[in-house]
Amino acid sequence: MERYPGRPEGTVALAGGGSVSRNMTVPEKLLDSIRDAVGPKGWTTDDSDLEPHLTERRGLWRGKCAMAVRPATTAEVGEVVALCHRAGVAVQPQGGNTGLVGGGVPDGGIVLSLARLNTIREVDAANFTLTAEAGCILADIQASALGVDRLFPLSLGAEGSCQIGGNLSTNAGGVQVLRYGTARDLVLGLEVVLPDGQVLDGLRALRKDNTGYDLKHLFIGAEGTLGVITAAVLKLFPRPNHTETALAAAASAGAALALFQRAAELAADALTAFEFLDRQSLELAVAHVEGVRDPFAEAHGCYALIELSGFGDGNGGLKQTMEEILSGAMEQGMIADAVIAASSAQAAELWRLRDAVPEAQPAAGASIKHDVSVPVSRVPEFLTKARALVEADMPGVRPVAFGHLGDGNIHFNLSQPEDMDAEAFLAEWRRVNRMVHDLVAELGGSFSAEHGIGTLKREDLKRYKTGPELELMKALKAALDPKGIMNPGKVL
Ligand code: FAD
Ligand code: ZN
């Protein structure tokens, strides 16, 4: 494997259209046994079929594998993993392959795709639960919940292609964490195939279950290094029937934070999203994504997208609450301007502006990314200090800061200076990350708020996990997967 000069450590060069690299060390006898276990529809070794399993969307890594296996049942997953365990061959679990840290790119062995394990096994509206297999697409689960007048609140940009197994394995966040928590908070029970092929059946649909260690949490956020999630019992919620959406313009992140506190106090549980965009984010989205426009006549320092969701006839409470939040904020000088969506189409337009930012970023050239969190109260301090650091370090660099202010989670991305060579800029990735992540650590934050560790952030894990935490993680890995076959080389 070749490292791409200048890219983050562990990054592998794209071969650039050459033939697919196969790991020939996987014994043919094992591949035959896998073929027998999953039947003709359950495997492929065809170069063009393997291709999408070997790369990821940013093109930062290219892996290799001997076979992509697509079991259709939990029993088949168990059989395949048991076979690999006996042979000591690596298993790379793969969901929708929308992860952003190289966690799903195989480095030899087989790819275990969960795509065919995609049945919604049960929807129990009265128990407010839905039991889904790992390969179900997130958007399909949301739709299935809506079908029985319930809400499954996990929501993120990749929801049309990411799978619930991947969401749980990465403990995905998204735009409703403020009200409903991360993926971890939305699980009652889990079915997992352990690294030796045994099935751990924990598909309990219980809100109370204090029977020893809560093992499901080991596998949530483990990025496929401790086992394969095959199904989950998910929590459903009453479906709000009324939403108010607004975009407010503030002079500074400090003012946006004050607005967040005001919104949280006045709306309490009805506050379902509070997203942040700096001026550069908005400009990028408006300049490069069709149909996106700036709703304000003047430029402002930053913006907050506020969403309230609730119940009832929709005419009273929520609308009034939103108006109260904004008018008071205006009087107190927290915000300079605001627009409230008058229709669902206008609300969608405001969300489009927010969602367009990461989409627009490539148009501004190469970018160095940070997915960090700090205590919500320290977001403004983080932004001021981080900007000062990178601008002093690299004149002309263009910080693009946006994300989930209500969760303390900012995507602090840096677009290259306009006159700089993209590769030369990317060569600074590690060094710039170090500077920003050191600051985050100083502020009591996390260097990976949403996207996990994968391949990209293993060095950071070693640096920032202090005390016995890292040792305990290694001990757990060794206890559950002594042969080290589950997604080797990732996380630890
Ligand atoms: P994959 O990418 O296939 O896999 C991710 C990791 O999980 C890998 O390590 C893989 O080995 C492991 N894995 C997958 N399935 C299983 C399984 N069944 N059992 C065990 N291990 C498994 N993430 C957020 O948190 N919040 C966001 O707002 C967000 N927005 C995004 C927007 C866009 C446009 C894109 C492209 C990505 C975004 N992401 C976001 C990142 C990504 O979508 C999430 O990490 C998602 O949860 C990954 O799901 P997946 O099915 O694609 O998993
Ligand atoms: Zn995010």
Side-chain angles (χ1 to χ4, degrees), residues 378-400:
R378 303 191 82 169
V379 168
E381 184 186 356
F382 164 72
L383 285 171
T384 305
K385 289 183 170 168
R387 272 203 192 102
L389 262 182
V390 298
E391 282 167 358
D393 181 76
M394 198 185 285
V397 75
R398 293 166 292 161
V400 176

Side-chain angles (χ1 to χ4, degrees), residues 73-79 81-82 121 190-203 228 230-231:
T73 64
T74 299
E76 285 182 10
V77 175
E79 226 176 308
V81 174
R121 291 190 192 163
L190 217 55
E191 181 188 83
V192 179
V193 168
L194 298 173
D196 64 359
Q198 288 189 81
V199 178
L200 185 151
D201 180 2
L203 282 182
V228 183
T230 48

Side-chain angles (χ1 to χ4, degrees), residues 178-472:
L178 186 58
R179 166 67 180 86
Y180 298 101
T182 60
R184 182 185 300 283
D185 301 305
L186 303 173
V187 182
L188 292 178
L190 217 55
E191 181 188 83
V192 179
V193 168
L194 298 173
D196 64 359
Q198 288 189 81
V199 178
L200 185 151
D201 180 2
L203 282 182
R204 288 178 287 272
L206 304 174
R207 256 123 188 134
K208 288 189 164 181
D209 178 20
N210 286 342
T211 50
Y213 302 155
D214 197 342
L215 296 176
K216 64 176 177 286
H217 288 302
L218 278 179
F219 305 97
I220 301 171
E223 301 180 47
T225 61
L226 300 179
V228 183
I229 294 174
T230 48
V233 182
L234 305 167
K235 284 187 206 169
L236 302 182
F237 294 81
R239 173 190 185 176
N241 60 7
H242 188 61
T243 304
E244 288 290 332
T245 311
L247 188 77
S252 68
L257 175 66
L259 175 66
F260 168 65
Q261 281 157 341
R262 180 173 171 79
E265 280 165 14
L266 290 178
D269 259 7
L271 180 62
T272 40
F274 194 99
E275 297 285 306
F276 173 85
L277 289 88
D278 69 1
R279 176 69 195 168
Q280 186 80 33
S281 301
L282 181 134
E283 278 177 3
L284 257 187
V286 170
H288 299 295
V289 180
E290 215 184 297
V292 173
R293 57 178 197 94
D294 181 350
F296 302 109
E298 284 170 37
H300 299 275
C302 61
Y303 305 87
L305 194 161
I306 309 171
E307 185 190 85
L308 309 184
S309 314
F311 307 91
D313 63 10
N315 294 323
L318 276 191
K319 191 158 189 270
Q320 218 178 332
T321 307
M322 183 67 97
E323 284 167 1
E324 198 184 336
I325 291 168
L326 295 172
S327 59
M330 200 94 77
E331 273 163 29
Q332 293 173 35
M334 286 173 197
I335 59 174
D337 206 347
V339 290
I340 301 182
S343 64
S344 54
Q346 284 181 9
E349 227 178 275
L350 295 181
W351 272 109
R352 185 77 194 106
L353 174 60
R354 158 66 182 87
D355 294 337
V357 180
E359 227 173 277
Q361 191 133 29
S367 59
I368 295 178
K369 295 181 167 53
H370 305 88
D371 161 36
V372 301
S373 65
V374 294
V376 178
S377 52
R378 303 191 82 169
V379 168
E381 184 186 356
F382 164 72
L383 285 171
T384 305
K385 289 183 170 168
R387 272 203 192 102
L389 262 182
V390 298
E391 282 167 358
D393 181 76
M394 198 185 285
V397 75
R398 293 166 292 161
V400 176
F402 63 97
H404 323 287
L405 192 151
D407 309 326
N409 173 198
I410 298 293
H411 298 301
F412 185 70
N413 294 348
L414 306 175
S415 286
Q416 65 174 87
E418 268 165 296
D419 53 0
M420 191 171 179
D421 171 65
E423 283 306 319
F425 175 70
L426 288 173
E428 302 292 327
W429 189 307
R430 281 268 156 225
R431 197 181 58 74
V432 173
N433 268 190
R434 170 68 60 89
M435 231 165 36
V436 173
H437 290 167
D438 278 357
L439 168 66
V440 166
E442 238 177 77
L443 297 177
S446 164
F447 64 89
S448 182
E450 277 200 315
H451 301 154
I453 304 298
T455 302
L456 185 65
K457 295 180 186 165
R458 277 182 313 172
E459 291 309 309
D460 296 285
L461 191 76
K462 284 185 203 146
R463 181 172 172 86
Y464 301 107
K465 282 275 176 196
T466 52
E469 261 186 315
L470 193 59
E471 292 312 311
L472 195 51

